[in-house]
Amino acid sequence: MGVSHEDLYAIRTKAPGPAGSLPLTHDLLMNAPSGELFGLSQNVGMGWSPARLSGKQYLILSTQGGIRREDGTPVALGYHTGHWEVGLLMQAAALEISGMGGVPFAGFVSDPCDGRSQGTAGMFDSLPYRNDAAIVFRRLIRSLPTRRGVIGVATCDKGLPAMMLALAAMHDLPCIIVPGGVTLPPEHGEDAGKIQTIGARYASGEMTLEEAAELGCRACATPGGGCQFLGTAATAQVVAEAMGMSVPHSALAPSGQAVWEEAARQSARAVAAMEAGGLRMRDILTDGAIRNAMVVHAAFGGSTNLLLHIPAIAHAAGLRVPDVHDWAAVNRQVPRLVSVLPNGPEYHPTVRAFLAGGVPEVMLHLRRLGLLDESVLTVTGQTLGSVLDWWEASERRQKVREQLTRLDGVNPDDVIMSPDAAKRRGVTSTVTFPTGNIAPEGAVVKSTSIDPSVLDADGVYRHRGQAKVFTTERAAITAIKTGGIQAGDIMVLIGRGPSGTGMEETYQLTSALKHLPFGKYVSLITDARFSGVSTGACFGHVGPEALAGGPIGRLRTGDLIDIVVDTRRLEGTIHFVGSAEHPLSPEEGALLLAAREPHPDMRPDAQLPADTRLWAALQSVSGGTWKGSVYDVERIIMALEAGKKSLGW
């Protein structure tokens, strides 16, 4: 709506200012910093009543994106549904704080969408964004020195881990996470994971143009929340609650609904109680809380991207950083209990996991197995054991589980299973960490999601075949779409780790293989990473990365590769073993790889931003991806000082 010509130039140069007076005292004027006093002037300048300035101040941070009208319709779109509605959570928390006599503040650092940037140069900024956003969140927290506590509202793949990193580093503040929940699946159609394969399926004649257009229109059936599968967004919500950083039964709530919004009000009350009781983040985040998160991650069958984020959260909290041996031990010990997209065996959307009881329901099973540290404190101010006691007998548990049966005709015990039921269904533990002469530092595969039909009677995946080596994701997806990949091939994508692309996420490859009829007979090996919804015989995080001298960067098309993954014992190997004409032992293969030059076509992507190159260098000095791709300031400074000395600076 425009304005009249006269109104356009009806300009004022003075205003009367807010009525009333600031609640100043002799002590404040004598001792308070000038910034604190000026802050009061700005508060009333923004419309806050001078009579309500004396309450405790709380900061609400979020990843909100886009501009919505009051009725929810868009003025400007956000990057994704995950940050589209979280302003409603902020509003609910803020009103609760002000209703208690407090003074709420709000700040925003919006986040990108990994789904939107798949297969584009935008993916080169995805993982580096996490560290950058965490830095900005921390700076925003410190830039409001009068805050007494922080509420972090976030939903998706990088924004929520960034928020968790930021709050984990606030050792002496009460902080809490409000997860942004999930979007609903369409009544008739495909979920947001499968819909990302329409290009590959259309190219292979699996669907028509009309089917792709219609299904694509319906996939995000509601406007807010993370995707409907247990990808990185959903897994990060689960992990936040498992660490005790969120109120009970808040992860995976349906976005925009009353039960979702109430969690924000509960969180506001909880952070105020934490402040009053002297409970701080150092009390919540302990080594026991980190291990609980790893245990729950395994029980859910969560995204492999949390292997990057949980160590980073531990680092930010000043705790012991779990390594690959810790992950392997947890996954061997902990049964997978949750049946959701993308792992199965039944492909329930994540909202059903919420209605089946969510994180606390899974934890009930885990505590009966003695796998949890129940002594850890949560943001409720109570121990985990006390929270689980409440949940087991709660009306909320009974009602949500009844709703699942009533609304969808689903037995909640078929979504979150007992260990015995999971065993009867043949559900296997989540991930395996193979090593070998291609991956001497290790790799990761979500072994629970390898198609059962390609396993032998003992649950072992074996694939011995010739490599087809690609140095760009574009070339790899083109090969899949145009018949260049066939059953029995082993795809190798190199130079796509931190130094090449910022460790891009290659979901368009893994999803295409999942939804094409021959895909279960193809393996993929890469130094890149995968989406949390990825499945199949896909081996990522190969270390060392190719551009850091890793032997994966010396492979050539036609090389013979031998893969073995025991999905029950969670053991595996990935070896280069010569060629079909001249097979070698793994030891001989290692020597031959070491003598080779790197692949001649391998180089950092031409579109790699300078910002991401800097991130790659800093995280490499700090221990690399297996340490969580963090910034270890002491190690970085040591490396810089050593470099300056070596260069004579």
Side-chain angles (χ1 to χ4, degrees):
M1 180 182 297
V3 296
S4 68
H5 186 77
E6 293 77 13
D7 289 341
L8 185 64
Y9 295 105
I11 298 169
R12 295 184 298 161
T13 60
K14 295 184 178 64
S21 59
L22 299 180
L24 298 177
T25 64
H26 172 79
D27 182 63
L28 276 174
L29 289 172
M30 292 297 294
N31 299 306
S34 63
E36 188 171 328
L37 299 176
F38 180 54
L40 296 175
S41 297
Q42 295 207 67
N43 294 347
V44 295
M46 288 183 280
W48 202 259
S49 169
R52 299 174 58 207
L53 283 174
S54 299
K56 294 178 180 178
Q57 299 180 4
Y58 292 93
L59 175 59
I60 307 169
L61 292 174
S62 93
T63 55
Q64 180 177 333
I67 305 172
R68 293 161 42 96
R69 294 186 179 92
E70 288 291 326
D71 63 0
T73 56
V75 175
L77 293 170
Y79 285 37
H80 53 92
T81 60
H83 65 210
W84 179 245
E85 287 186 329
V86 295
L88 299 176
L89 293 174
M90 298 184 78
Q91 179 173 286
L95 290 172
E96 192 71 21
I97 288 169
S98 59
M100 294 185 291
V103 182
F105 288 76
F108 309 86
V109 181
S110 195
D111 56 346
C113 176
D114 281 1
R116 187 180 292 274
S117 60
Q118 287 293 335
T120 76
M123 183 54 71
F124 300 169
D125 287 294
S126 172
L127 183 55
Y129 161 90
R130 185 205 66 180
N131 287 10
D132 296 343
I135 290 171
V136 176
F137 279 132
R138 289 194 294 265
R139 292 191 186 279
L140 287 173
I141 293 168
R142 293 190 295 263
S143 296
L144 185 66
T146 50
R147 75 281 181 270
R148 305 290 284 270
V150 183
I151 299 173
V153 185
T155 307
C156 280
D157 293 24
K158 301 304 175 298
L160 181 49
M163 188 73 75
M164 294 166 72
L165 261 66
L167 300 194
M170 297 294 112
H171 306 154
D172 296 316
L173 272 178
C175 302
I176 196 165
I177 292 284
V178 182
V182 298
T183 188
L184 299 185
E187 294 177 354
H188 304 286
E190 296 182 350
D191 67 86
K194 187 174 183 179
I195 207 65
Q196 293 180 51
T197 69
I198 53 177
R201 285 186 286 156
Y202 174 74
S204 300
E206 300 293 316
M207 66 190 320
T208 67
L209 176 62
E210 292 74 18
E211 288 171 333
E214 185 176 334
L215 290 170
C217 189
R218 289 200 300 265
C220 297
T222 53
C227 294
Q228 308 106 333
F229 47 80
L230 193 70
T232 306
T235 307
Q237 294 184 38
V238 164
V239 162
E241 188 175 332
M243 285 182 180
M245 295 180 74
S246 301
V247 296
H249 197 229
S250 56
L252 312 182
S255 182
Q257 300 189 37
V259 70
W260 167 85
E261 194 169 294
E262 177 61 19
R265 289 186 283 270
Q266 292 172 337
S267 298
R269 295 192 293 270
V271 80
M274 290 173 70
E275 195 280 332
L279 190 62
R280 305 294 185 256
M281 286 313 293
R282 66 171 69 254
D283 304 311
I284 304 297
L285 289 178
T286 62
D287 290 332
I290 295 295
R291 190 180 187 282
N292 283 347
M294 296 169 68
V295 167
V296 172
H297 175 274
F300 266 84
S303 163
T304 54
N305 279 321
L306 271 293
L307 275 68
L308 292 164
H309 302 318
I310 290 178
I313 294 164
H315 176 265
L319 303 171
R320 178 183 175 274
V321 176
D323 58 24
V324 66
H325 304 293
D326 298 313
W327 283 105
V330 165
N331 277 270
R332 290 191 182 105
Q333 190 178 19
V334 178
R336 182 165 68 88
L337 305 177
V338 181
S339 180
V340 294
L341 288 160
N343 302 330
E346 298 297 328
Y347 299 109
H348 298 292
T350 41
V351 69
R352 289 183 179 169
F354 174 80
L355 290 173
V359 172
E361 191 70 23
V362 172
M363 283 183 144
L364 284 182
H365 292 298
L366 294 173
R367 86 158 164 182
R368 292 176 191 130
L369 296 174
L371 293 172
L372 294 174
D373 183 345
E374 295 183 57
S375 69
V376 298
L377 288 171
T378 72
V379 291
T380 65
Q382 299 181 340
T383 64
L384 175 61
S386 297
V387 169
L388 295 180
D389 289 340
W390 163 78
W391 175 256
E392 192 163 22
S394 69
E395 178 189 38
R396 183 183 179 103
R397 180 189 183 212
Q398 175 188 338
K399 284 191 173 297
V400 294
R401 286 166 61 85
E402 287 174 352
Q403 285 283 82
L404 179 57
T405 303
R406 185 181 69 82
L407 294 171
D408 288 2
V410 172
N411 183 344
D413 293 331
D414 290 337
V415 180
I416 296 176
M417 296 173 280
S418 69
D420 288 341
K423 188 174 182 179
R424 287 194 300 270
R425 295 293 302 274
V427 177
T428 56
S429 296
T430 307
V431 294
T432 299
F433 301 90
T435 57
N437 62 23
I438 292 174
E441 289 182 356
V444 62
V445 58
K446 192 187 283 186
S447 51
T448 194
S449 296
I450 298 177
D451 193 300
S453 67
V454 297
L455 306 179
D456 66 18
D458 296 321
V460 178
Y461 176 77
R462 303 177 191 277
H463 189 177
R464 192 177 179 97
Q466 290 188 332
K468 289 187 175 177
V469 178
F470 302 90
T471 58
T472 69
E473 187 185 13
R474 180 179 293 275
I477 192 63
T478 298
I480 291 175
K481 288 182 175 181
T482 58
I485 298 297
Q486 301 172 351
D489 287 341
I490 296 179
M491 297 183 69
V492 181
L493 179 61
I494 62 175
R496 314 311 280 180
S499 302
T501 65
M503 202 178 189
E504 67 182 351
E505 183 181 282
T506 56
Y507 177 60
Q508 66 167 338
L509 302 181
T510 61
S511 61
L513 293 175
K514 176 181 178 179
H515 294 290
L516 293 174
F518 63 86
K520 65 182 178 180
Y521 303 110
V522 175
S523 297
L524 171 64
I525 305 171
T526 181
D527 52 3
R529 60 190 176 88
F530 300 133
S531 164
V533 75
S534 293
T535 61
C538 301
F539 302 81
H541 298 226
V542 168
E545 64 168 313
L547 285 166
I552 187 176
R554 296 183 171 87
L555 292 175
R556 302 288 193 274
T557 294
D559 284 344
L560 188 63
I561 294 177
D562 186 70
I563 301 171
V564 179
V565 177
D566 189 324
T567 65
R568 297 176 187 172
R569 296 169 60 88
L570 302 186
E571 299 172 348
T573 54
I574 312 174
H575 289 304
F576 161 68
V577 288
S579 65
E581 298 78 16
H582 301 287
L584 302 173
S585 70
E587 293 76 18
E588 292 169 329
L591 293 174
L592 179 55
L593 281 180
R596 278 184 180 175
E597 292 295 318
H599 195 289
D601 296 333
M602 182 181 66
R603 57 186 57 84
D605 196 284
Q607 298 184 71
L608 187 68
D611 304 329
T612 301
R613 290 179 59 207
L614 177 61
W615 165 84
L618 294 175
Q619 66 86 38
S620 176
V621 172
S622 303
T625 57
W626 288 103
K627 288 285 188 180
S629 294
V630 299
Y631 295 159
D632 186 327
V633 174
E634 296 304 321
R635 291 187 65 172
I636 291 169
I637 291 174
M638 286 176 59
L640 289 173
E641 291 298 328
K644 287 164 60 178
K645 185 175 181 180
S646 174
L647 293 170
W649 290 4

